[in-house]
Amino acid sequence: MEQKTYWKGIEELTQDNAFEQKKHNEFPETLPIEDVFSENNLGKTSKRRDFLKQLGFSLTAATVAASCEIPVKKAIPYVVKPEEITPGVANWYASTFYDGTEYCSILVKTREGRPIKIEGNTLSPVTRGATNAKVQASVLNLYDVNRLRGPRKGEEDISWEQADKEIMQKLSGIAANEGNIRLLTGSIISPSTRQLINEFKAQYPTTEHITWDAVSHAGMLAANENYFGKRALPTYNFDKAQIIVSFDADFLGTWISPSAFTRQYIQNRKVAKGKAKMSRHYQFEPGLSITGSNADVRASVKPSQQGQAILNLYNKLAVLANASEVGSVSKLDGKAGSAIATAATELWQNRGRSLVVAGSNDTHIQYVVNAINEMLNSYGATIDMDHPSYILQGNDKAVMDLVAEMNSGNVSALFLHNVNPAYDHPMADKFAAGLKKVGLTVSFNERADETGSMCQFSTPDHHYLESWDDAMPIAGHYSLSQPTIAPLHKTRAFAESLLAWMGKDGNYYDYIKKYWEENLFPQQSKYTNFNTFWDKSLHDGVFNSSAGSEPMADATDAADETTEEAGSAASGTGIDAAASAIKSHQSKGDIEISLYEKVGIGDGKYANNPWLQELPDPISKVTWDNYIALSPKYAIAKGWKQGDILKITANNHSIELPVLYQPGQMQGTASIALGYGRNKVGKAGNGVGQNAFPFVSWHNNSHAYYITGATVEPTGKHDELAQTQTHHHVEGRPIVKETTLGAYAKNPVAGNEDRAKVQSHMVTLYPKELSDYKGNGPHWGMLVDLNSCVGCGGCVVACNAENNVPVVGKEDIRMARDMHWMRIDRYYTYVDDNGNAINKEKAFGKDLANIADDAAVEVIFQPMLCQHCDNAPCENVCPVAATSHSSEGLNQMAYNRCIGTRYCANNCPYKVRRFNWRDYTNTDAFPWNEMPGAEEMLEDLTRMVLNPDVTVRSRGVMEKCSFCVQRIQDAKLTAKREHRPLKDGDVTVACQQSCPAEAIVFGDMNDPESKISKMGKDERNYAVLEELHVLPSIQYQTKVRNKKA
Amino acid sequence: MRIRALNTTCLVLALLSFSFLSIQANAQPDGKKLFKQNCASCHKPDKVLTGPALQGWADRVPDNPWIYDWVRNSQKMIQDGDVYGNQIYKEYNNTEMTAFPQLTDEEIDAIMLYVDNWTPPVDEQGPVTGDAEAEAGASPTLLLFILLALIVLSLILTRIVNALDRVVKEKMGEPVPEPLPMHKQILNAKVKVAAVIVLIVLAGYKTFDFTSKLGRQEGYAPEQPIAFSHKIHAGINKIDCQYCHSGAWKSRNAVIPSPNVCMNCHRAIPEGPNTGTSEISKIYAAVGWNPETQKYDGEQKPIEWIKIHNLPDHVYFSHAQHVNAGGLECQECHGPIEEMDVVRQHSPLSMGWCVNCHRDTDVQFDNAYYSTYEKLHEQLKNKEIKSVTAESIGATECQRCHY
């Protein structure tokens, strides 16, 4: 086997000249002094004497200012202190995150009454304590300055009384004339709200409730309705699957319930001594997703070929099952074809322990997938249809009908809740036109977004952290949301607005409580008193009904009619009808565009969240933008360079996006992320990227998230992507290590053989005692399992929230000034068709255009953060001793001492130190200090999200991961107060807590009983750049791939 | 000032002891003591509190034995339909009076006698004013004056010496050199060099001293929105510090008590010894308490205290660590707070001050938390090392306080 060559980006692989030059400069940009004195700023050109004058003036000014009186500070206590609040002590509340696309049971940390951090709730059997980037970042949305401050009529602020009066007046008029009332909402999983909607419909009988998901699963819902008679998504158990085959379902990143799936998936991916077993994962997809990058076998399939590929698999399995094949299906060739053949064999061998999923929104494809899973005995094992999931309920056909109905003038009133079809509907123009013909339009959206700003009334709903709510994500599993802060603005719960317009008194809290008392309390027998039951459920955040399956009170009307219609096509003759519908689909044009969601931005709901905008895409490492991802070979053949702006035209719509060379992207396909190009979301998100929703096509009564026959042409323009991947360099060193399961089973040191040699060189002149701290307190350390890390980036956002890590904006990212304390390095490597590593000469010779197969790319993710070296090279170069070592093994950073020489960053072998080039969080009032996007973080309201236990760093100082020292200190203090030793698990750092894959272990390496000590001797362990003898406190574990080689 | 305060204290003490003695001499029940023990939380002799003012009670009650029954069990009388009893029950918001069945007739008489003879206390002390300057020792002006006087004196002496010298030389017939002008005599090269050196050293010291104290506020004693006296609360009345500063036990913040904590006592104490009602009424205004109606019916308004002990934002300080885990007394950092009418910052709160204490404080090995430092503990027990201080386990490392 060849030695693997890892590379971070195309530039590194091809040794691009500019890149080579750049990589030798630690800080690629010079000081912006010229910029400061330029025309735009001080209106002066930079002269030496001017500079000296300015310097003298500033020095005098600073001296005068410093000798001024100290400002008087106030301390204002509560008038009547709530009993449960002690200033300085965090309170935790169990709650529920659900935004219409993803469900997560959470714990909310509040300080002095304001929520500042979200963590997973381990009591929930649905999410098991997992969170992801979106959930972590959702706390920042609460403090978004662009939220509406109260009800509005058009652009004018009105009172709730006035809004209620005018809306009810119109509503009663419409009801009297039997005008059509339509309620268009995102998926609603709150049983109380659904009951309330039913009551609303009873009072206004002309009301229809329609559900819209921006990224729809309507095809799957229709297929299940047809197959099982249940219009719901199944509950998946990835932890029970030995063989997982996914057709473009990004279940670790964006598909249905990624954080919960990640936690399940990873159970069978962890290996340990004596447990050399893991699941095998096949992924068939056009672009490189994080799910694909974690797969053991990955093959390219065009979006339009997906149905054909699935039929291929069906036929192979049908042969094994002695069932009848579907006729005349053309066979896939190449790697995809052979991968399907082996997958089929393995699936069949593991019947009852295998799982096939597909991301397609085509009813027929999902019907075939259901048939495959049934053949494999997956139902009842890896798939649970008895406890279906309700988290996505969108009905594409019903919304299409609604658009037509609106345009025909037959809708008298339209209420919109948690939907933004004027932005994310493929027929957004038609929707907008229709909206103007509706007599009464009311938006419950939290901001005056693309849809809300066109409505007559805005009656904003609370943020979920301000509101009571309940949820039933999966039949039998209930959870509660509770307010963690009083509403910041004059908003009102959606349900309370409905209650008001039904002319009913009462608040939503009482309504939920009543619903729980009537419906859920009888389902259990543990508590005889409802209030005890309620308090317990509220405390835990979740309630699991022993009564089991219970259908969701169906409030969606249009469901039945449309699914019948959609179903009939397939149901008539079952699998053959589905197959023929799939086969009839033809691809046209030479390029197919696949539309996908990004892990951070998703469908665009969070476009104004600077944390998510700045979270590098797990694969491309691009921030603040979407782009057209093309295979390097394809793009080179066309003569397009990375960053060239292309014009993409389809569906009578065209957008211009820069090119990204994406290794692993299939030839003849392109990928474009949805959720960008919003223009009415707020300062941070407006104008970031381009909107690709108009490219979503209509196919078999549902939306298809790809398009064929698009034209792509160059515009001659060029734009630099704000990419973080090329900021640091590996120089071909063994930073990441991997092996195969077979090799690992034979020899647990596999892939890590060179460590013994490195360690044999470790000699020191110092007496041994110096490095032996055992019995002298804790020594903190971390262990990262590269086999578990899926690269989702949730930890990065969790770290941002915990440690007040600033947002720098697109411009500064381009200048390599990203501030993330934790980055997920992503390494590519080439393999041949058999999965053997090949060096780059073999892969493409000297010219990238000769590249063999784009799918032949493997990916490793490596979380990289301060390694807290015991021989830290940064410490001994600091001229002011601002960074030093603690007796507990922490590499400490004293911000107030740092004078900003940046020697430490230069000397850090891991490149994990971050310099504050600007005052990012507490800005100076200079315009050039405010970066587009980052300025959102400077608002007083937004700054409420800051963790009061962590210093906000100012300009000119260095910062880096502190191992969440505030959490360590807090845990130590708690132990001291309780007069007990620290226990393993008392300290959980933010990244570890948030990791849905449980890839990070943190603890005291001096405690022989701690998990990290016990795992510390594993053969897979290695430290990065161990040969430098910097003695890092972080170790990594070799990645193991379950592939044949 | 200090002497005056001492005098008044002595006077008060003398008066108190005198009254104590005089009461001891009397075998009768002590009306004042009984009143304070049983009645004072709801009644005042001259003013309405939770219950009515007691002076003039005899004119209001229907007959003399009524008061005995009422004090021992008022509820029974109300239920039995006593007319006057029901009248005052209604008048005071249907508040039940606590029953005192243990009080004898004599004791009740003594209480009522005390009430009738009670007169408002005469303000003996006069208002307390903060006059801090008197405490200052030798002022810089004085020092300067002395220095000046010394210089003048030395000049005069030099002149005298010179004059005598000249006279002697003249007498001896030696040539008398032309006397140098005064300034040249003084400013010879040696003096100049010495002066410059002294100046540099002095300026350097002054600059360092001044700049290192920038931002420090030792002795800071701002005027607060309410003239709250720790002397009265913590000193005279010996209220535990953590009754009000309850956060000190479990939080980084000691917490300034919210006015509802003040109301626990001040609902019954509308007047203070220093300032009468003027300051306590500010608490009432803050919580919206109406002393007339005895109800919280006003608007609430927070009190904006002026923060005295300010640490820079980059310092993490936890009261719980020091008070609870460390077992420090408040006074160790805050000084004789129980003697302060106006709180001032006692300690410099400088980093050097913090670090010095961390260097001197021994680790409390009886706390099981420190069992993780067993090696140090062993060495201490074997007398290999003299002490294990907070510093020995890392309490002077940067990231104990800066993160």
Side-chain angles (χ1 to χ4, degrees):
Chain A
M1 195 167 114
E2 301 260 358
Q3 178 64 40
K4 278 197 172 187
T5 340
Y6 295 97
W7 35 284
K8 296 185 120 187
I10 295 290
E11 303 88 335
E12 188 172 356
L13 190 65
T14 54
Q15 287 164 356
D16 180 88
N17 272 343
F19 174 83
E20 285 295 307
Q21 238 170 35
K22 238 170 137 182
K23 82 176 183 188
H24 294 294
N25 292 329
E26 168 75 21
F27 301 105
E29 299 297 321
T30 49
L31 279 172
I33 290 174
E34 293 295 326
D35 187 34
V36 172
F37 293 116
S38 71
E39 290 288 329
N40 298 335
N41 293 310
L42 293 184
K44 285 190 176 161
T45 49
S46 163
K47 297 231 174 68
R48 191 183 59 88
R49 292 182 59 175
D50 287 335
F51 177 72
L52 287 176
K53 276 185 221 163
Q54 311 257 4
L55 191 71
F57 173 76
S58 350
L59 194 67
T60 325
T63 316
V64 172
S67 53
C68 282
E69 266 190 43
I70 299 164
V72 172
K73 286 185 186 163
K74 297 269 177 76
I76 305 173
Y78 286 97
V79 174
V80 178
K81 186 176 81 70
E83 211 177 320
E84 67 277 12
I85 291 180
T86 302
V89 178
N91 287 31
W92 293 81
Y93 298 96
S95 195
T96 300
F97 169 90
Y98 178 70
D99 62 347
T101 55
E102 191 173 358
Y103 165 86
C104 196
S105 182
I106 55 170
L107 299 177
V108 185
K109 178 188 186 185
T110 67
R111 272 291 298 270
E112 284 86 54
R114 55 195 173 86
I116 56 168
K117 178 80 174 58
I118 286 170
E119 303 202 336
N121 181 4
T122 45
L123 293 180
S124 164
V126 181
T127 52
R128 303 188 205 175
T131 59
N132 64 11
K134 253 196 273 184
V135 178
Q136 288 287 343
S138 65
V139 65
L140 187 57
N141 295 345
L142 170 66
Y143 303 112
D144 191 332
V145 286
N146 301 290
R147 283 176 61 201
L148 287 172
R149 307 286 165 120
R152 299 207 312 182
K153 182 182 181 182
E155 299 273 295
E156 174 203 350
D157 291 331
I158 54 172
S159 68
W160 277 107
E161 292 75 32
Q162 194 187 343
D164 286 348
K165 204 179 121 202
E166 292 196 22
I167 290 169
M168 283 172 79
Q169 210 171 14
K170 285 200 176 187
L171 202 57
S172 54
I174 290 164
N177 295 328
E178 298 197 342
N180 286 328
I181 302 170
R182 297 290 177 261
L183 182 59
L184 181 62
T185 69
S187 298
I188 291 177
I189 59 169
S190 158
S192 304
T193 307
R194 294 187 73 90
Q195 176 173 299
L196 184 64
I197 289 173
N198 282 335
E199 287 174 17
F200 187 83
K201 286 197 311 200
Q203 182 154 349
Y204 299 100
T206 51
T207 308
E208 257 183 41
H209 176 209
I210 299 154
T211 307
W212 166 240
D213 292 333
V215 176
S216 162
H217 292 252
M220 197 167 171
L221 292 169
N224 288 345
E225 163 115 50
N226 189 20
Y227 212 96
F228 303 102
K230 283 183 192 166
R231 198 186 136 77
L233 302 177
T235 303
Y236 292 99
N237 299 313
F238 283 88
D239 48 346
K240 293 184 182 155
Q242 284 306 315
I243 305 291
I244 298 164
V245 177
S246 160
F247 292 91
D248 204 14
D250 184 13
F251 59 85
L252 299 177
T254 53
W255 192 69
I256 302 184
S257 205
S259 46
F261 292 163
T262 307
R263 181 130 311 182
Q264 296 172 1
Y265 172 79
I266 218 68
Q267 306 303 325
N268 279 338
R269 306 289 291 176
K270 287 186 190 291
V271 293
K273 226 192 220 153
K275 188 201 166 262
K277 265 179 80 178
M278 59 193 280
S279 63
R280 177 165 291 151
H281 171 192
Y282 290 84
Q283 183 85 2
F284 300 90
E285 58 183 9
L288 186 59
S289 68
I290 75 164
T291 311
S293 58
N294 281 288
D296 299 305
V297 181
R298 183 176 169 274
S300 299
V301 169
K302 282 187 182 183
S304 65
Q305 289 175 337
Q306 209 187 98
Q308 188 196 345
I310 291 170
L311 283 175
N312 267 276
L313 180 65
Y314 179 86
N315 279 352
K316 291 254 190 272
L317 287 168
V319 171
L320 292 165
N322 285 328
S324 58
E325 289 179 62
V326 176
S328 62
V329 179
S330 53
K331 284 218 167 111
L332 276 184
D333 45 13
K335 191 179 173 184
S338 58
I340 283 176
T342 49
T345 326
E346 288 181 6
L347 282 170
W348 187 249
Q349 285 164 356
N350 288 283
R351 277 191 313 280
R353 288 183 298 151
S354 55
L355 177 57
V356 179
V357 291
S360 171
N361 196 32
D362 186 326
T363 316
H364 307 298
I365 290 181
Q366 293 293 354
Y367 190 93
V368 180
V369 172
N370 284 357
I372 291 175
N373 277 319
E374 194 167 32
M375 255 197 290
L376 293 170
N377 301 336
S378 303
Y379 290 100
T382 55
I383 310 179
D384 187 352
M385 205 57 207
D386 295 333
H387 296 86
S389 157
Y390 294 109
I391 64 170
L392 293 156
Q393 306 161 0
N395 191 325
D396 301 346
K397 178 70 168 45
V399 179
M400 281 302 228
D401 292 345
L402 174 70
V403 173
E405 202 181 10
M406 280 157 63
N407 277 298
S408 68
N410 285 336
V411 179
S412 306
L414 181 64
F415 295 93
L416 298 137
H417 175 247
N418 194 23
V419 286
N420 189 9
Y423 160 72
D424 57 25
H425 197 274
M427 305 271 193
D429 296 345
K430 268 197 179 167
F431 179 87
L435 201 63
K436 294 196 181 102
K437 296 182 186 160
V438 178
L440 170 66
T441 50
V442 181
S443 156
F444 293 96
N445 289 356
E446 58 168 12
R447 61 187 79 228
D449 55 17
E450 290 81 351
T451 310
S453 60
M454 290 199 300
C455 291
Q456 294 156 358
F457 292 94
S458 285
T459 53
D461 189 5
H462 295 318
H463 185 263
Y464 82 95
L465 290 171
E466 301 169 329
S467 188
W468 285 102
D469 212 348
D470 59 355
M472 182 174 73
I474 289 173
H477 293 289
Y478 297 87
S479 68
L480 281 167
S481 296
Q482 58 178 321
T484 53
I485 188 171
L488 290 166
H489 311 305
K490 288 186 197 126
T491 52
R492 186 170 73 183
F494 163 63
E496 279 174 18
S497 293
L498 287 190
L499 277 171
W501 301 339
M502 286 157 70
K504 286 189 181 167
D505 291 333
N507 59 44
Y508 188 40
Y509 169 69
D510 294 332
Y511 193 91
I512 296 173
K513 219 171 157 180
K514 191 160 157 261
Y515 181 88
W516 278 57
E517 185 162 13
E518 284 169 3
N519 298 287
L520 307 187
F521 181 52
Q523 290 184 21
Q524 53 86 45
S525 51
K526 202 172 163 193
Y527 299 96
T528 48
N529 178 322
F530 171 70
N531 280 330
T532 329
F533 165 69
W534 172 259
D535 288 348
K536 171 78 176 151
S537 307
L538 195 57
H539 170 269
D540 292 353
V542 292
F543 163 63
N544 302 301
S545 168
S546 47
S549 168
E550 178 228 15
M552 194 83 162
D554 196 73
T556 310
D557 294 303
D560 308 328
E561 14 177 322
T562 45
T563 42
E564 270 164 33
E565 199 180 312
S568 60
S571 65
T573 45
I575 193 83
D576 288 322
S580 64
I582 293 168
K583 280 182 284 184
S584 69
H585 187 59
Q586 294 298 319
S587 174
K588 50 189 176 185
D590 81 327
I591 188 159
E592 285 186 19
I593 295 173
S594 158
L595 304 166
Y596 69 104
E597 286 179 281
K598 280 205 192 188
V599 168
I601 296 300
D603 60 11
K605 219 169 253 142
Y606 300 133
N608 203 46
N609 190 316
W611 286 348
L612 291 176
Q613 287 283 10
E614 196 152 302
L615 172 70
D617 179 89
I619 304 296
S620 69
K621 299 291 160 196
V622 175
T623 61
W624 293 100
D625 220 342
N626 65 344
Y627 40 79
I628 173 163
L630 291 167
S631 142
K633 185 172 184 174
Y634 181 86
I636 289 166
K638 294 273 187 189
W640 301 329
K641 288 203 170 61
Q642 174 141 320
D644 281 356
I645 293 181
L646 303 184
K647 186 177 178 190
I648 306 119
T649 311
N651 282 1
N652 302 321
H653 181 82
S654 59
I655 56 175
E656 293 184 355
L657 283 174
V659 172
L660 174 92
Y661 283 3
Q662 178 60 61
Q665 182 81 32
M666 191 186 185
Q667 300 280 337
T669 66
S671 289
I672 299 176
L674 299 165
Y676 285 83
R678 293 197 59 177
N679 50 38
K680 279 186 176 161
V681 69
K683 257 198 260 177
N686 283 347
V688 174
Q690 296 287 324
N691 183 6
F693 273 109
F695 291 161
V696 173
S697 51
W698 184 248
H699 187 64
N700 281 342
N701 277 335
S702 57
H703 293 298
Y705 295 94
Y706 68 93
I707 190 155
T708 61
T711 59
V712 180
E713 54 204 350
T715 59
K717 288 184 275 187
H718 188 88
D719 187 31
E720 193 195 340
L721 288 162
Q723 220 172 347
T724 60
Q725 72 168 26
T726 51
H727 291 173
H728 310 283
H729 318 290
V730 285
E731 307 276 5
R733 296 180 182 118
I735 309 289
V736 283
K737 296 184 181 177
E738 64 170 283
T739 185
T740 59
L741 187 64
Y744 177 72
K746 275 182 227 142
N747 176 13
V749 192
N752 196 17
E753 294 91 347
D754 58 337
R755 191 179 190 215
K757 195 180 151 206
V758 171
Q759 281 188 320
S760 69
H761 288 294
M762 288 201 183
V763 283
T764 173
L765 290 174
Y766 292 109
K768 200 139 196 242
E769 291 80 44
L770 270 180
S771 54
D772 181 18
Y773 278 104
K774 291 231 165 40
N776 282 348
H779 189 291
W780 303 106
M782 188 183 271
L783 186 65
V784 183
D785 184 2
L786 295 186
N787 210 32
S788 301
C789 176
V790 298
C792 68
C795 51
V796 177
V797 182
C799 179
N800 284 4
E802 174 70 24
N803 291 305
N804 301 336
V805 174
V807 171
V808 303
K810 189 174 181 179
E811 273 310 303
D812 273 15
I813 294 267
R814 280 181 180 148
M815 292 190 269
R817 292 174 180 180
D818 48 314
M819 293 300 291
H820 292 151
W821 284 7
M822 182 155 200
R823 60 173 202 264
I824 311 285
D825 283 338
R826 180 267 300 115
Y827 296 98
Y828 296 124
T829 182
Y830 272 118
V831 288
D832 64 16
D833 280 350
N834 297 322
N836 295 321
I838 44 174
N839 64 19
K840 72 177 194 197
E841 277 71 30
K842 251 196 189 158
F844 58 90
K846 289 231 182 298
D847 191 355
L848 206 57
N850 298 330
I851 204 159
D853 179 357
D854 293 302
V857 142
E858 281 184 351
V859 179
I860 292 191
F861 297 104
Q862 183 180 45
M864 183 50 74
L865 59 161
C866 175
Q867 304 284 306
H868 293 271
C869 314
D870 286 340
N871 266 346
C874 53
E875 288 167 11
N876 41 33
V877 293
C878 180
V880 292
T883 184
S884 58
H885 215 64
S886 94
S887 53
E888 298 182 0
L890 300 180
N891 174 245
Q892 319 174 96
M893 183 70 222
Y895 310 121
N896 44 317
R897 229 174 203 214
C898 177
I899 56 167
T901 62
R902 291 173 278 136
Y903 296 163
C904 54
N906 271 320
N907 219 29
C908 173
Y910 306 98
K911 300 298 157 221
V912 289
R913 289 184 155 260
R914 301 283 177 265
F915 184 66
N916 283 276
W917 287 92
R918 301 169 198 268
D919 209 347
Y920 291 110
T921 315
N922 188 14
T923 189
D924 301 338
F926 300 126
W928 68 83
N929 202 27
E930 292 187 8
M931 299 312 293
E935 83 239 286
E936 185 86 19
M937 299 302 290
L938 307 174
E939 304 280 351
D940 280 344
L941 185 66
T942 321
R943 285 166 50 82
M944 279 173 76
V945 82
L946 295 176
N947 182 354
D949 290 340
V950 177
T951 309
V952 172
R953 280 78 63 185
S954 57
R955 176 152 72 159
V957 303
M958 200 46 96
E959 61 182 69
K960 50 137 213 120
C961 162
S962 67
F963 261 0
C964 284
V965 65
Q966 66 279 5
R967 289 181 176 224
I968 295 178
Q969 291 294 89
D970 190 51
K972 278 160 65 181
L973 179 54
T974 309
K976 274 182 217 171
R977 284 169 49 192
E978 294 169 4
H979 289 252
R980 60 165 173 86
L982 267 180
K983 292 193 303 281
D984 191 36
D986 277 352
V987 186
T988 45
V989 289
C991 50
Q992 171 197 19
Q993 212 288 336
S994 71
C995 181
E998 296 176 305
I1000 298 173
V1001 177
F1002 181 84
D1004 175 9
M1005 298 197 291
N1006 281 351
D1007 174 5
E1009 293 309 306
S1010 69
K1011 196 174 174 195
I1012 190 159
S1013 296
K1014 287 179 179 162
M1015 292 173 78
K1017 300 274 179 285
D1018 195 276
E1019 282 83 353
R1020 283 199 296 142
N1021 294 9
Y1022 72 95
V1024 173
L1025 299 179
E1026 204 162 10
E1027 61 275 23
L1028 299 179
H1029 197 64
V1030 294
L1031 302 177
S1033 295
I1034 299 187
Q1035 294 205 329
Y1036 293 87
Q1037 293 191 307
T1038 315
K1039 185 176 176 70
V1040 180
R1041 292 184 200 274
N1042 187 4
K1043 61 178 185 183
K1044 293 192 179 97
Chain B
M1 182 63 213
R2 200 169 253 177
I3 291 163
R4 219 173 97 194
L6 197 67
N7 281 342
T8 32
T9 322
C10 287
L11 190 70
V12 171
L13 279 174
L15 281 172
L16 277 175
S17 53
F18 177 71
S19 58
F20 183 67
L21 282 172
S22 67
I23 288 161
Q24 282 297 303
N26 194 340
Q28 293 296 317
D30 179 0
K32 182 180 178 181
K33 196 175 158 198
L34 287 166
F35 177 80
K36 292 250 150 114
Q37 274 175 359
N38 298 307
C39 321
S41 58
C42 298
H43 293 283
K44 277 188 158 268
D46 60 335
K47 279 185 191 137
V48 171
L49 206 61
T50 313
L54 294 182
Q55 273 181 346
W57 61 278
D59 305 335
R60 298 198 297 264
V61 300
D63 49 58
N64 207 27
W66 185 91
I67 193 78
Y68 303 132
D69 299 337
W70 179 259
V71 170
R72 292 202 195 104
N73 194 350
S74 64
Q75 271 308 296
K76 189 167 175 291
M77 288 175 73
I78 292 164
Q79 276 161 20
D80 292 348
D82 182 83
V83 179
Y84 180 63
N86 273 299
Q87 183 194 327
I88 46 173
Y89 180 61
K90 271 189 200 119
E91 197 178 326
Y92 289 92
N93 306 326
N94 295 350
T95 314
E96 284 178 26
M97 177 174 155
T98 318
F100 296 95
Q102 78 280 12
L103 291 180
T104 61
D105 285 359
E106 287 76 33
E107 283 172 331
I108 294 173
D109 283 340
I111 292 169
M112 297 331 260
L113 187 69
Y114 166 75
V115 166
D116 283 339
N117 294 338
W118 182 86
T119 47
V122 186
D123 196 349
E124 288 164 8
Q125 285 182 303
V128 176
T129 50
D131 192 7
E133 280 218 5
E135 281 192 34
S139 71
T141 342
L142 189 70
L143 283 177
L144 212 66
F145 183 76
I146 294 171
L147 192 73
L148 214 68
L150 284 176
I151 291 170
V152 170
L153 192 71
S154 66
L155 282 177
I156 293 168
L157 287 176
T158 323
R159 277 210 89 127
I160 292 170
V161 168
N162 284 347
L164 287 175
D165 191 38
R166 203 161 61 229
V167 170
V168 168
K169 280 188 176 155
E170 269 172 18
K171 286 262 163 123
M172 302 286 281
E174 285 176 26
V176 179
E178 188 63 26
L180 281 167
M182 189 69 188
H183 67 278
K184 284 204 176 166
Q185 275 184 35
I186 299 168
L187 295 177
N188 62 37
K190 271 187 195 162
V191 173
K192 274 185 195 164
V193 170
V196 167
I197 289 172
V198 167
L199 208 68
I200 288 174
V201 169
L202 215 66
Y205 172 75
K206 270 288 174 196
T207 317
F208 178 78
D209 193 47
F210 173 74
T211 45
S212 68
K213 278 186 184 149
L214 276 179
R216 284 193 211 151
Q217 301 175 314
E218 198 174 345
Y220 182 46
E223 196 187 326
Q224 297 289 359
I226 296 180
F228 174 86
S229 163
H230 277 84
K231 187 175 164 184
I232 291 175
H233 291 81
I236 296 170
N237 289 311
K238 305 218 178 320
I239 300 172
D240 190 271
C241 302
Q242 291 183 42
Y243 179 78
C244 305
H245 300 290
S246 55
W249 194 249
K250 51 188 170 183
S251 166
R252 61 186 289 195
N253 302 322
V255 174
I256 294 178
S258 50
N260 69 325
V261 176
C262 310
M263 288 303 287
N264 290 351
C265 299
H266 280 290
R267 197 179 149 162
I269 308 172
E271 258 184 79
N274 280 2
T275 52
T277 54
S278 71
E279 300 303 308
I280 294 170
S281 63
K282 289 180 188 167
I283 306 175
Y284 294 164
V287 292
W289 169 255
N290 186 339
E292 300 299 319
T293 58
Q294 295 281 308
K295 275 181 189 161
Y296 290 100
D297 51 10
E299 203 182 311
Q300 295 186 339
K301 213 170 120 264
I303 302 166
E304 300 191 5
W305 298 96
I306 296 183
K307 201 162 179 264
I308 299 172
H309 301 88
N310 293 302
L311 286 178
D313 287 346
H314 57 255
V315 183
Y316 185 96
F317 173 82
S318 166
H319 273 93
Q321 164 67 52
H322 294 83
V323 177
N324 184 338
L328 290 188
E329 289 299 324
C330 307
Q331 281 81 352
E332 289 183 52
C333 303
H334 292 288
I337 201 94
E338 72 284 358
E339 292 168 15
M340 295 182 197
D341 269 323
V342 177
V343 175
R344 66 177 183 277
Q345 183 177 324
H346 174 78
S347 307
L349 302 189
S350 66
M351 186 166 134
W353 174 79
C354 293
V355 166
N356 279 343
C357 193
H358 285 187
R359 283 185 178 140
D360 295 341
T361 309
D362 285 332
V363 170
Q364 306 158 351
F365 280 109
D366 52 339
N367 183 340
Y369 166 77
Y370 295 104
S371 61
T372 171
Y373 298 97
E374 61 197 325
K375 196 176 267 179
L376 286 169
H377 198 192
E378 281 302 311
Q379 287 174 332
L380 183 71
K381 281 195 248 173
N382 300 340
K383 304 219 164 75
E384 286 166 44
I385 42 175
K386 269 190 186 156
S387 65
V388 178
T389 60
E391 186 184 30
S392 330
I393 59 166
T396 53
E397 288 163 1
C398 306
Q399 232 165 34
R400 288 304 162 97
C401 312
H402 302 294
Y403 50 81

